[in-house]
Amino acid sequence: MDKAKQAIGGQISLMGTLSPYSTLMHGTTEAVRNEVKKLAAEVGYNGGLIVMPGCDIDWNIPDENLHAMIQQCAEIKYPMDIPALGDLSNVYLAGHPKHPGKRSSSVAGDTQVAELKTRHEDLTPVEEVNEKLVEAIMEYDGDKAIEWTKKGLERGMTPQAIVFDGLSLGMKIVGDLYERNERFVTDMLKAAKTMDKAMPILTPLLEANGGGDGPTGTVVVGLVRGNTQDIGKNLVCLMPKANGFKVIDMGKNV
């Protein structure tokens, strides 16, 4: 949020970023107040800030935390006396690596990811396909994903290998970049859509052989009433499909 403020200056108002889960749902009233003050000091020092969660307000958020958010906003006056807000050095806004809502990289110790980051020459035909598929995902290049999916099949690769050693590996790397704050949620969505471009070629083959050695079946996915954000849902739907499952997507707010 502070980086966005630096980029747009006083040209437009920003809203959001108060953590709905770590702070509003599970934090104390003091934690809520401190995060509001941190936002005010770093983003709202000259106005242009609407304090609100960076996501939906869940109906399970404690009333006292919502009241703390509103009351703290009301107590901050302009011109803002930032030193009077107190020591906020240990208050980390959402997106900061030390924010309690951040988790460590999900690919830490993943040998496939480590090898891909260092291997760029003397590739076998299969390794070349996997590397090009990863590049396609990272570059959001749907045409390239389709091209190298077809080449992989021509070179005798199974659809499962193409999905998990190529396309999904690219998704892992984009996810790692996201977790390290080097890419955004929108980048995850673009990567998923790139992978989805190749899936019509692979899905019939996955369904024909049961998706490999694992179990297959039907998976029903939906967002419960009140939840209207489907980026994560769409990412989840993609993975069972890749593993040979039939996925019924009920949509959002159901």
Side-chain angles (χ1 to χ4, degrees):
M1 187 67 134
D2 57 330
K3 295 293 189 293
K5 183 70 172 184
Q6 292 169 18
I8 60 110
Q11 301 302 308
I12 192 170
S13 292
L14 295 172
M15 64 184 191
T17 272
L18 185 68
S19 177
Y21 185 79
S22 299
T23 305
L24 277 180
M25 178 76 80
H26 295 290
T28 63
T29 54
E30 181 183 8
V32 173
R33 283 181 171 272
N34 283 338
E35 198 162 315
V36 169
K37 288 190 284 187
K38 181 82 166 185
L39 276 169
E42 293 194 349
V43 186
Y45 52 86
N46 64 345
L49 169 66
I50 301 170
V51 175
M52 61 179 287
C55 196
D56 291 343
I57 298 178
D58 192 278
W59 52 71
N60 292 318
I61 288 175
D63 290 348
E64 58 268 25
N65 281 358
L66 286 177
H67 292 158
M69 177 184 74
I70 295 167
Q71 289 160 5
Q72 185 60 62
C73 288
E75 292 171 12
I76 297 175
K77 308 296 183 183
Y78 286 94
M80 191 181 300
D81 185 356
I82 292 179
L85 296 177
D87 181 8
L88 303 173
S89 59
N90 289 323
V91 179
Y92 301 105
L93 299 181
H96 192 285
K98 292 185 179 179
H99 188 276
K102 292 294 288 185
R103 56 189 173 90
S104 59
S105 171
S106 60
V107 300
D110 191 308
T111 56
Q112 274 190 308
V113 173
E115 288 173 4
L116 192 69
K117 288 179 178 178
T118 57
R119 185 185 65 214
H120 293 289
E121 55 187 34
D122 299 327
L123 299 177
T124 67
V126 168
E127 289 172 341
E128 182 187 23
V129 170
N130 289 335
E131 183 168 273
K132 295 299 182 183
L133 288 172
V134 169
E135 288 177 1
I137 296 295
M138 296 183 69
E139 296 165 3
Y140 320 126
D141 189 337
D143 292 337
K144 186 173 182 177
I146 292 171
E147 174 190 356
W148 283 93
T149 293
K150 291 178 178 178
K151 286 186 179 181
L153 293 172
E154 291 169 1
R155 295 180 184 184
M157 295 176 66
T158 66
Q160 290 82 9
I162 291 172
V163 169
F164 292 108
D165 297 334
L167 297 169
S168 290
L169 185 56
M171 288 296 298
K172 275 186 181 182
I173 293 175
V174 173
D176 178 49
L177 292 169
Y178 164 71
E179 288 164 355
R180 290 190 278 113
N181 296 320
E182 294 179 27
R183 294 204 183 182
F184 298 95
V185 172
T186 48
D187 295 311
M188 288 286 291
L189 184 58
K190 288 189 290 185
K193 287 185 175 180
T194 302
M195 181 172 175
D196 219 12
K197 294 276 188 178
M199 291 311 295
I201 301 170
L202 299 170
T203 298
L205 301 174
L206 290 165
E207 291 174 345
N209 63 11
D213 298 329
T216 57
T218 300
V219 178
V220 180
V221 181
L223 297 181
V224 297
R225 186 184 62 171
N227 194 330
T228 60
Q229 303 184 57
D230 60 359
I231 291 176
K233 174 184 64 63
N234 294 340
L235 292 172
V236 169
C237 286
L238 196 60
M239 301 318 293
K241 284 182 183 178
N243 203 26
F245 286 83
K246 177 182 179 183
V247 176
I248 299 174
D249 183 356
M250 297 177 67
K252 53 192 178 182
N253 197 32
V254 296

